[in-house]
Amino acid sequence: MNYRVIVEVTLREGIADPEGATIERALPALGFTGVTNVHAGKSFRLDVEATDESAALERATALAERLLSNPVIENATARLGKAGE
Amino acid sequence: MNYRVIVEVTLREGIADPEGATIERALPALGFTGVTNVHAGKSFRLDVEATDESAALERATALAERLLSNPVIENATARLGKAGE
């Protein structure tokens, strides 16, 4: 069976995030105040063939850590997508 | 109060996704079979000051649609982050 998995890749704590910092600095001038701690990352959606949900998540996590992220500076987390996601 | 909101920006249906296609093509040679429909996108994490959860989501959605995505080719969705996310 195919399971839809969503992988999010975020920068580790302490790694400079110039994209997030630039967005955060720009927001007040664009009319959005009270928005802080902006962090930019990547997301991936994929259909994983597996026998059950936990096997799908496990495969997606291995794939995300080995291929979709740089573990020196990034964290990868996988979660099951809801219907339609 | 501050609410942690996670915004995901994905390409609209039918828009070419060369990054996702390249990952999908590379996976079998790297030992991951049975993975299909790979789509690449962006994610943003932000803390939004608002009176309640629905107000935080509403502000984040407006911000995501106006500033974090290109509505011609991208969809933006905002969801509340769980604790620690």
Side-chain angles (χ1 to χ4, degrees):
Chain A
M1 193 177 155
N2 274 330
Y3 295 91
R4 165 57 52 108
V5 179
I6 291 146
V7 171
E8 281 191 72
V9 177
T10 53
L11 288 167
R12 288 185 184 275
E13 283 290 315
I15 303 289
D17 180 359
E19 185 179 354
T22 303
I23 294 168
E24 188 169 333
R25 254 196 330 267
L27 287 174
L30 297 163
F32 291 94
T33 52
V35 180
T36 50
N37 286 322
V38 180
H39 297 286
K42 288 177 284 187
S43 74
F44 299 91
R45 271 139 216 281
L46 24 108
D47 289 341
V48 179
E49 202 184 305
T51 48
D52 57 31
E53 293 188 345
S54 69
L57 265 187
E58 200 177 296
R59 292 193 67 205
T61 303
L63 185 160
E65 285 172 357
R66 285 187 45 205
L67 307 170
L68 299 179
S69 65
N70 174 354
V72 177
I73 58 166
E74 292 171 328
N75 283 317
T77 53
R79 65 180 172 87
L80 287 169
K82 295 176 204 80
E85 232 183 348
Chain B
M1 192 178 158
N2 274 329
Y3 295 90
R4 165 57 54 109
V5 179
I6 292 147
V7 172
E8 281 191 73
V9 176
T10 53
L11 288 166
R12 288 185 184 274
E13 284 289 315
I15 303 290
D17 180 359
E19 186 179 356
T22 303
I23 294 167
E24 189 169 333
R25 254 196 329 267
L27 288 174
L30 297 162
F32 290 96
T33 52
V35 180
T36 51
N37 286 322
V38 180
H39 297 287
K42 289 178 284 187
S43 74
F44 299 92
R45 270 139 217 282
L46 25 107
D47 289 341
V48 179
E49 201 183 306
T51 48
D52 58 33
E53 292 188 346
S54 68
L57 265 187
E58 199 178 299
R59 290 192 67 204
T61 302
L63 185 162
E65 285 173 355
R66 283 187 47 204
L67 307 170
L68 300 178
S69 66
N70 173 354
V72 177
I73 58 165
E74 291 171 327
N75 284 317
T77 52
R79 66 181 172 88
L80 287 169
K82 297 177 202 80
E85 232 183 346

